[in-house]
């Protein structure tokens, strides 16, 4: 049984394979530049999705999409508010003009 057909039949295995591959890709560094766990998991998810084409329930797709948005917001949020505290007045004045 080819690997793609096997993965297509078991979407749970696709999920765990994506997490493991994403972790491995995230640890890879080339000349001091690395992807990180989130980008590595996204790359692995795209690769596994293209290879296996798993059939996932829509609820599961939305849950993981919202988890992605939450994780990005959670990591970027403190930097955003720190910048807003320093240069907030200037950005607020420019926003209505734009």
């Amino acid at each position: 049984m080819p690997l793609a057909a096997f993965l297509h039949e078991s979407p749970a295995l696709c999920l765990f394979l994506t997490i493991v591959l994403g972790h491995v890709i995230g640890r890879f560094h080339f000349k001091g530049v690395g992807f990180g766990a989130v980008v590595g998991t996204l790359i692995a998810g795209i690769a596994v999705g293209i290879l296996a084409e798993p059939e996932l329930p829509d609820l599961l797709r939305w849950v993981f999409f919202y988890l992605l948005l939450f994780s990005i917001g959670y990591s970027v949020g403190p930097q955003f508010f720190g910048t807003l505290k320093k240069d907030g007045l200037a950005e607020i004045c420019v926003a209505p003009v734009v």
Side-chain angles (χ1 to χ4, degrees):
M1 183 178 204
L3 179 64
F6 178 71
L7 289 174
H8 179 74
E9 296 297 322
S10 56
L13 184 60
C14 291
L15 174 67
F16 291 116
L17 180 65
T18 299
I19 293 170
V20 168
L21 287 176
H23 188 69
V24 170
I25 292 171
R27 287 181 173 254
F28 180 73
H29 292 280
F30 181 71
K31 293 186 179 181
V33 177
F35 289 120
V38 174
V39 175
T41 304
L42 286 173
I43 292 170
I46 291 170
V48 170
I50 290 172
L51 175 70
E53 297 179 9
E55 295 178 19
L56 301 172
D58 284 337
L59 178 64
L60 188 64
R61 291 176 192 231
W62 283 109
V63 165
F64 281 108
F65 177 69
Y66 289 142
L67 282 173
L68 170 71
L69 291 179
F70 173 77
S71 65
I72 291 172
Y74 190 74
S75 64
V76 174
Q79 295 170 353
F80 171 76
F81 288 111
T83 303
L84 193 60
K85 189 185 297 185
K86 291 179 189 173
D87 304 321
L89 184 61
E91 293 178 8
I92 291 171
C93 292
V94 171
V97 175
V98 173

